[in-house]
Amino acid sequence: MPSCCRSTARWSCARPSFFALNFAVLCSLAGLVAVGFCLAAPAVAQSMQPIVLNRVTAAHALPDGLELHSGAAVVRITALRDDLLRVRIGATGTLPEDASWAVLAASRTATVAVKPESTAHTVGFRTGKLHLAVDRATMALTVTDNDGHIIVQTPAEHPIEYHGTSFRFYARSPEEEHYFGLGDKPGPLDRRNEAFTNWNTDSYGWQESTDPIYKSIPYFLTYRNGICGGLFLDNTWRTSFDFDKELRDVYSFGADNGPLDLYILYGPSPKAVVEQWAWLTGTTPLPPMWTLGFQQSRYSYYPESEVRKIASELRSYRIPADAIYLDIDYQFKYRPFTVDPERFPRFTQMIHDLLAEHIRTVLITDLHIARVPNAGYKPYDEGLAGDHFVHNPDGSVFTGPVWPGPAVFPDFTQKSSRDWWGTLYADFVHDGVAGFWNDMNEPSVFGVASKTMPDDVQHRIDEPGFAKRTANHLEIHNVFGMENSRGTFEGVRRLDPDVRPFVLTRASYAGGQRYAATWTGDNSSTWNHLRQTVPQLANLGLSGFALAGADVGGFAGSPQPELLTRWLEIAAFQPIDRDHTSMGTNPQEPWADGTTQDLDLRRHFIETRYRLMPYLYSVAEEMSRTGLPILRPLFLEFPDASHDRHPLDFNNGSEFLLGPDLLIAPSPYPDLLDNYQAVLPPVGWYDFWTGAPVVADDQQRMRVGNDNLPDEDLQITLHPTIDKLPVFVRGGSILPMQPLVQSTMIKPVGPLTLRVYPPNSPVGALRRQESCAGSVYLDDGISYAYQKGDFLRVEFTCKRTPQGLTVHIGPHQGSFQPWWTQYRVEVYGANGPVHAASATNGPVTAAYDSDHHRVVAFLSDDGKGVDLTLTGGLR
């Protein structure tokens, strides 16, 4: 873009006649004979003139919104819901195609009636929750809620601009506003004072300042004084986002080309915005339970004997595990959908033997197809015959070097090509392979500076909901990986319709959570990359990718033993727990490169994950319904906790929540030996390991509570030790846990444990919370039978009484039969034996466990529900 067209110097572009005159004079003085060129100067200047939407020239109301004109430009603002607006702009008078790879068709076409609101100075409308006003003189746009809180406000001095095909949207950025989302971008949790580019990139060895990396999710949340909103620019071209870097107190975003198709979401709570985003772009499907277990991987396990050895060691060291991954070295000459017969002579039998050990197999299936004509390579031969590969501008098939050498690439924007791609998995699915790993799908191409396809590669869009046409790679690049994972997910689902697919993708776009889980790519075995994991996973979860993880221990390089131990400890409380490393690094399995203490600690934390499986799976089921992530930043659950309602995560991005009830507080600098502070929101907390209520002394108490709350928030001082990761349980929660198993394929033996944590708020307004709640969800963990009612849900509550505590276990909901027939109820916060215990379904005794500050009772479960009443002995 010429410098005259930058926002800070628009004045020169607004004077085409002056530019044309001086251009002509310069031509004349230079004695140029190219008269035609000089005569064309006014046209050249006119083409460089930006289109600035800085006044309303016409307006008329629509049943669901408003249509405006600013000169030749047309702006349509509609309400899809009372809390969700859509803004579409056509700079030259025609709105862009109404289609989307990201937004669900039913959501994109939804509509609600609005009430026009216009004055002499503004034109707008209101919904049940929002007010829209556009200034007639400047076209500045303001969206507020019914209480007057500003959600989005564009500044009159920085109107929307178009420069040729590119555009820029500006909005005011109050000092106290914070920004979250944009997927797996490295850096702090809060995006304020950062700038980013969306262009899916193979970023081996990325660092905290690296941008872009693997995914493009042009969506972010705004958070100001406890009020949350969201903005989504549905544009697949290269986009950029600037939060107060270029202009003070202004954020902006734009694209090189494509539509300005903007969605504005309103909470007011962060959870409400997350659920709206799920309504708009879909949720992560309920995953197979085994994907929540521990997964072992490296680049690469081969030959077959090595894979069998790893499986044997997982079992002999008693490391609970559910999956082993095979990277590209299982393939014949690195050709996807092949198996090397020398390295893996009994491949199918190996898959079955691993299943017998309760270990599933995940295979990498990169999207590049080796270009090997006349070699009997089915994917190439079929793809070529079916015209399924992307083309060069001259119509020839594009070829680029990747792992197998010269390779071609499926045209995933054609539904027919995605359907064909899905058929390639038939043999693997038949063999019993459980999951598939779509890597290198930015797409990555070797030997070129761009690391990807040339800009002019042609993609054919032949997709329901889209006009049939050809697009260049600049438009399709950022959705290529998502459509690759979509083809895999849908294809595997068709091959085995009643088994939930598991697809892991590296590259994606907004909405890609409908098809695949993800991870943060090729990280490194450094302490800094360990601390990067939490903000990356938190922002991925807020962006829709709730089932995500990082390469545990780091991919590039070999971790120090302590680093691997600490990483395995933290990862035990994150959505995907996959230990993965690169070729040439030291062994990185839990039993490798450490002391006996390291092995014991690593095993202990993986075992803890398996004991928590009922809770973890229940949180995953909630995710599949609501979009609420498994790993949550603190402000998602506690938006009003701080005194000025700023996000509690603002100063310490290392804390996170696993679901609503577990708070994990690792050191923000895990390689340091110094004490550190953690903030606990004002609900009362218990130590997960000891069961003791958390109490702070006067020096540790800080004022972060809201004005209408007591000084309840605690800043506690913690000392980092390798043998204990600080984990806290929310007061007022009931946590379901199970006996230890070595795989989710193994049925637990014993009772379902219900850890009851009564409200732990000793003073002030929070004293009024006298109840607690929890639930457990269960199904067969693998099929879609739950959609037909074959599931189990049980709700739990507790309530303080003047005499003690009553725990209510509700009746079974759904037809699925659980593995347990008995409950072990553990009530924490006890200061001695209870005076009496009774249950509505028979006699009961309650034992006091002073080491863990709890009372334990066993109740039979007949499915009808039961109440347990404890008298005395509880705080």
Side-chain angles (χ1 to χ4, degrees):
M1 182 189 304
S3 61
C4 69
C5 292
R6 296 182 187 274
S7 60
T8 54
R10 274 193 299 273
W11 62 271
S12 61
C13 287
R15 291 163 172 77
S17 58
F18 175 83
F19 177 87
L21 174 64
N22 282 277
F23 190 88
V25 169
L26 289 172
C27 288
S28 175
L29 291 174
L32 296 175
V33 295
V35 177
F37 178 69
C38 290
L39 291 177
V44 172
Q46 184 67 30
S47 69
M48 295 177 63
Q49 182 180 1
I51 298 172
V52 182
L53 281 65
N54 56 9
R55 62 194 177 97
V56 176
T57 57
H60 70 269
L62 302 172
D64 60 348
L66 178 70
E67 184 164 295
L68 307 170
H69 290 264
S70 182
V74 59
V75 180
R76 183 172 295 171
I77 308 173
T78 56
L80 308 186
R81 304 176 8 157
D82 284 338
D83 51 10
L84 204 160
L85 308 181
R86 185 183 184 192
V87 181
R88 300 173 64 212
I89 298 180
T92 57
T94 303
L95 292 174
E97 179 185 6
D98 190 2
S100 177
W101 300 103
V103 179
L104 299 172
S107 301
R108 182 172 51 81
T109 57
T111 181
V112 296
V114 304
K115 182 176 181 179
E117 285 188 335
S118 298
T119 69
H121 301 291
T122 64
V123 60
F125 61 80
R126 66 181 172 90
T127 72
K129 295 183 178 180
L130 295 174
H131 295 254
L132 167 81
V134 180
D135 189 277
R136 295 178 185 269
T138 66
M139 212 164 182
L141 175 151
T142 302
V143 178
T144 62
D145 65 11
N146 287 335
D147 295 323
H149 299 113
I150 295 174
I151 311 306
V152 179
Q153 185 174 49
T154 63
E157 64 272 23
H158 296 292
I160 298 168
E161 299 180 349
Y162 283 81
H163 299 274
T165 61
S166 68
F167 62 83
R168 199 83 192 159
F169 180 100
Y170 300 86
R172 296 196 185 280
S173 177
E175 184 178 3
E176 66 274 17
E177 193 160 80
H178 306 273
Y179 308 101
F180 307 94
L182 295 179
D184 60 353
K185 300 290 189 185
L189 179 68
D190 188 352
R191 303 305 192 187
R192 192 179 180 97
N193 295 318
E194 302 285 336
F196 304 96
T197 298
N198 279 330
W199 185 252
N200 293 359
T201 303
D202 182 350
S203 296
Y204 173 82
W206 58 264
Q207 295 302 317
E208 191 169 2
S209 58
T210 302
D211 183 69
I213 59 170
Y214 303 98
K215 281 168 277 292
S216 295
I217 306 177
Y219 164 74
F220 62 93
L221 288 79
T222 65
Y223 185 94
R224 179 187 178 195
N225 298 331
I227 305 297
C228 193
L231 286 92
F232 171 45
L233 175 62
D234 193 3
N235 183 300
T236 65
W237 297 70
R238 184 190 296 265
T239 57
S240 61
F241 290 76
D242 183 296
F243 299 96
D244 308 276
K245 294 283 282 187
E246 179 190 13
L247 299 170
R248 181 179 178 181
D249 300 328
V250 172
Y251 67 80
S252 68
F253 49 84
D256 293 348
N257 206 325
L260 203 170
D261 193 353
L262 177 66
Y263 294 82
I264 300 172
L265 293 70
Y266 165 69
S269 72
K271 277 188 173 181
V273 173
V274 169
E275 293 189 60
Q276 283 180 52
W277 179 240
W279 176 85
L280 195 66
T281 63
T283 64
T284 300
L286 180 62
M289 186 185 290
W290 65 264
T291 65
L292 301 176
F294 180 68
Q295 305 174 31
Q296 187 61 55
S297 179
R298 79 166 291 129
Y299 169 37
S300 282
Y301 288 134
Y302 72 93
E304 180 181 317
S305 58
E306 179 67 12
V307 179
R308 292 177 178 274
K309 175 174 174 288
I310 294 297
S312 176
E313 289 179 309
L314 284 167
R315 293 299 175 239
S316 64
Y317 282 107
R318 306 223 26 101
I319 305 293
D322 267 85
I324 290 178
Y325 282 60
L326 299 187
D327 212 314
I328 60 174
D329 290 284
Y330 79 90
Q331 299 167 340
F332 178 69
K333 297 183 177 180
Y334 303 134
R335 298 173 185 173
F337 303 102
T338 66
V339 175
D340 188 320
E342 293 187 5
R343 289 178 172 176
F344 289 84
R346 298 184 301 149
F347 179 80
T348 301
Q349 186 61 49
M350 180 194 73
I351 301 297
H352 294 164
D353 290 346
L354 292 180
L355 280 171
E357 293 293 322
H358 304 115
I359 296 174
R360 288 180 165 90
T361 309
V362 179
L363 301 184
I364 198 168
T365 52
D366 292 338
L367 78 175
H368 43 256
I369 300 297
R371 191 193 68 185
V372 284
N374 305 315
Y377 180 42
K378 176 183 174 181
Y380 179 76
D381 295 341
E382 281 190 356
L384 192 65
D387 193 20
H388 291 303
F389 301 132
V390 298
H391 291 171
N392 292 307
D394 64 3
S396 61
V397 173
F398 168 73
T399 302
V402 206
W403 294 119
V408 294
F409 299 79
D411 208 351
F412 291 111
T413 52
Q414 294 189 122
K415 182 181 184 301
S416 59
S417 297
R418 289 199 311 274
D419 290 347
W420 163 76
W421 169 263
T423 67
L424 299 178
Y425 290 89
D427 289 344
F428 288 151
V429 170
H430 181 266
D431 288 343
V433 174
F436 299 98
W437 173 16
N438 290 161
D439 202 354
M440 306 293 289
N441 56 353
E442 290 72 33
S444 181
V445 178
F446 294 166
V448 293
S450 69
K451 300 183 181 180
T452 193
M453 296 177 179
D455 296 347
D456 60 358
V457 161
Q458 303 294 292
H459 301 264
R460 292 156 293 173
I461 299 177
D462 190 355
E463 169 75 15
F466 286 79
K468 188 174 180 178
R469 59 186 176 87
T470 299
N472 67 31
H473 188 65
L474 288 170
E475 178 181 353
I476 301 304
H477 176 87
N478 282 339
V479 294
F480 198 73
M482 178 174 82
E483 294 306 293
N484 165 223
S485 62
R486 177 184 182 182
T488 304
F489 179 89
E490 293 175 346
V492 173
R493 176 76 193 272
R494 281 192 296 270
L495 290 166
D496 201 349
D498 200 38
V499 173
R500 300 173 222 167
F502 174 69
V503 181
L504 186 71
T505 187
R506 191 168 73 178
S508 199
Y509 180 71
Q513 70 271 6
R514 301 193 296 264
Y515 314 117
T518 193
W519 86 106
T520 59
D522 294 342
N523 62 359
S524 299
S525 298
T526 66
W527 291 99
N528 194 44
H529 275 243
L530 171 56
R531 67 186 296 266
Q532 267 291 284
T533 299
V534 170
Q536 280 190 292
L537 295 183
N539 275 317
L540 274 169
L542 294 173
S543 304
F545 283 85
L547 192 61
D551 286 345
V552 175
F555 180 73
S558 300
Q560 305 159 33
E562 183 180 348
L563 173 58
L564 178 58
T565 299
R566 288 189 181 273
W567 209 320
L568 283 164
E569 290 176 356
I570 294 174
F573 297 92
Q574 295 177 345
I576 290 180
D577 188 5
R578 182 181 76 142
D579 182 345
H580 183 57
T581 188
S582 181
M583 179 173 285
T585 62
N586 292 338
Q588 198 166 291
E589 296 77 33
W591 54 87
D593 195 25
T595 65
T596 300
Q597 181 193 28
D598 284 315
L599 173 58
D600 290 342
L601 286 172
R602 296 165 185 175
R603 180 194 296 113
H604 167 68
F605 278 88
I606 295 171
E607 288 177 345
T608 300
R609 181 181 184 88
Y610 277 77
R611 294 183 193 278
L612 281 166
M613 192 59 65
Y615 174 73
L616 185 56
Y617 193 59
S618 298
V619 173
E621 191 272 337
E622 179 189 36
M623 166 200 74
S624 71
R625 288 183 290 108
T626 67
L628 292 174
I630 296 173
L631 184 149
R632 304 176 184 182
L634 270 59
F635 75 84
L636 190 64
E637 286 291 333
F638 305 102
D640 299 327
S642 61
H643 174 54
D644 59 0
R645 304 182 80 189
H646 76 262
L648 289 180
D649 317 76
F650 178 63
N651 292 319
N652 183 354
S654 66
E655 291 183 50
F656 64 94
L657 293 161
L658 176 61
D661 297 328
L662 285 177
L663 188 153
I664 294 85
S667 170
Y669 296 95
D671 53 331
L672 299 183
L673 304 179
D674 307 281
N675 290 347
Y676 64 96
Q677 279 70 47
V679 173
L680 303 183
V683 292
W685 295 87
Y686 293 80
D687 187 305
F688 174 77
W689 307 110
T690 68
V694 177
V695 179
D697 59 32
D698 292 337
Q699 287 73 39
Q700 294 171 323
R701 193 179 297 277
M702 65 179 293
R703 172 60 178 175
V704 292
N706 223 349
D707 282 337
N708 62 343
L709 296 177
D711 294 348
E712 274 291 294
D713 279 22
L714 301 180
Q715 177 173 287
I716 60 173
T717 298
L718 300 171
H719 180 71
T721 61
I722 194 170
D723 62 336
K724 187 176 180 182
L725 173 68
V727 179
F728 304 98
V729 189
R730 182 178 187 163
S733 63
I734 300 179
L735 209 63
M737 297 181 66
Q738 70 180 30
L740 178 63
V741 292
Q742 292 297 301
S743 166
T744 60
M745 294 174 69
I746 301 172
K747 183 180 294 188
V749 177
L752 177 72
T753 295
L754 302 181
R755 287 191 172 190
V756 179
Y757 296 92
N760 179 28
S761 304
V763 295
L766 292 182
R767 185 68 173 171
R768 291 194 296 270
Q769 182 189 355
E770 295 295 337
S771 62
C772 58
S775 66
V776 67
Y777 173 86
L778 187 64
D779 55 33
D780 64 20
I782 194 71
S783 80
Y784 287 95
Y786 71 93
Q787 295 180 344
K788 301 175 183 179
D790 194 17
F791 66 87
L792 172 73
R793 193 187 309 277
V794 184
E795 308 283 350
F796 317 116
T797 60
C798 83
K799 185 177 181 179
R800 287 190 186 275
T801 68
Q803 293 77 32
L805 186 80
T806 297
V807 178
H808 172 71
I809 301 173
H812 291 188
Q813 303 172 39
S815 60
F816 187 77
Q817 294 301 306
W819 47 262
W820 66 84
T821 59
Q822 191 179 43
Y823 295 110
R824 173 188 167 103
V825 180
E826 300 175 354
V827 179
Y828 288 83
N831 55 9
V834 296
H835 302 154
S838 62
T840 55
N841 65 353
V844 64
T845 58
Y848 174 57
D849 176 359
S850 60
D851 290 341
H852 294 91
H853 311 276
R854 67 190 179 191
V855 171
V856 180
F858 289 86
L859 305 174
S860 61
D861 178 21
D862 59 8
K864 298 178 181 179
V866 59
D867 288 347
L868 170 68
T869 300
L870 301 175
T871 303
L874 300 172
R875 291 183 175 86

